[in-house]
Amino acid sequence: RALQIAAAGGHNLIMTGPPGAGKTMLAQRLVTIMPPLTESEALESALAYSVKGLEYADLIACRRPFRAPHHASTAVGLLGGGQPVKPGEISLAHNGVLFLDEMPEFASTVLQQLRQPLESGYISLARAGGNYRFPARFLLLAAANPCPCGYLGDPQRRCRCSEVQIERYRNRIGGPLMDRFDLAVDIQRSDPHEVLESGKGTSSAALAEEVACACAFRSWRLRPRTDDERVAGEELLLEQARLTDATRHSFERLARSFSLSGRGIMRTLSVSRTIADMRESEQVDEEDILEALMYRRQDTSGE
């Protein structure tokens, strides 16, 4: 469900769970339920691949890019640079998914540099030969173990990490970057019976169809506005939510209870708007907000 919401609304998602829980498998399936690239998006993404000297046939076929750099990647490899200057993994993931497996294992200095492109949709590089700007509008998907050994909370394996080790491990990502994740889910290893029963769940094709319907509804809801109707930013999101007075008061109460920051409030509302789109509703209801809050991690900075 969280992956489907991420695909429908382009929301960043982090999955936490022990080794073998299926985090990587789930991540690799995300692009299969996302809408295909538009022609202009395909050309934008193909350009970055061309500059890098990579094959881009899949992009021309409108398949969204999926990039999964290793946690040993350098800042140049992830963000771009070098001599001559070339785009990094975040630009190769433009209009697609950037998957950071074992995210806490990435260098903290590299991770913190993701904050600017996540907000702006591009990466600016200042080098001796001039200033460079590459597109970097991507869905950030991350996976992490709950602790250094990976077995904290696992009913089948005992965790041997100290509280200090666990806290240090979790702090590698940092609160400001964690706050950029709209969705956070904990994943446990499946019971053997569930594994042997695999194949009986909802197919990727069915999930993709529901995502496409949500995107089509959003496009209809955002049909062209007149000049007098145009608003931007938070005001636009609030208008799109169409909260009733009762829902607004309930959200205010919940925001205080969850100690949400201003950013947290607007990101929760954004996820709620996507959930409402998935049921083809022009109005965000309290149930949409409650589900969105269920996906928020409560130990982030300022929340």
Side-chain angles (χ1 to χ4, degrees), residues 148 161-171:
C161 304
S162 67
E163 291 185 6
V164 174
Q165 289 176 316
I166 295 172
E167 183 178 3
R168 186 183 300 120
Y169 179 79
R170 292 179 173 178
N171 287 339

Side-chain angles (χ1 to χ4, degrees), residues 240-297:
Q240 292 173 355
R242 299 192 177 187
L243 301 176
T244 64
D245 289 341
T247 302
R248 187 185 187 97
H249 292 323
S250 177
F251 188 22
E252 291 174 357
R253 175 176 54 80
L254 289 166
R256 293 190 187 97
S257 177
F258 278 72
S259 301
L260 295 182
S261 64
R263 184 195 300 275
I265 290 172
M266 299 313 296
R267 288 187 175 273
T268 299
L269 189 59
S270 177
V271 174
S272 303
R273 180 61 267 178
T274 297
I275 294 171
D277 285 338
M278 294 179 69
R279 59 185 183 85
E280 300 186 359
S281 171
E282 291 190 67
Q283 182 173 288
V284 172
D285 292 337
E286 184 176 0
E287 290 76 12
D288 304 319
I289 294 172
L290 287 170
E291 182 176 0
L293 285 170
M294 183 178 69
Y295 298 116
R296 286 204 64 80
R297 187 173 297 279

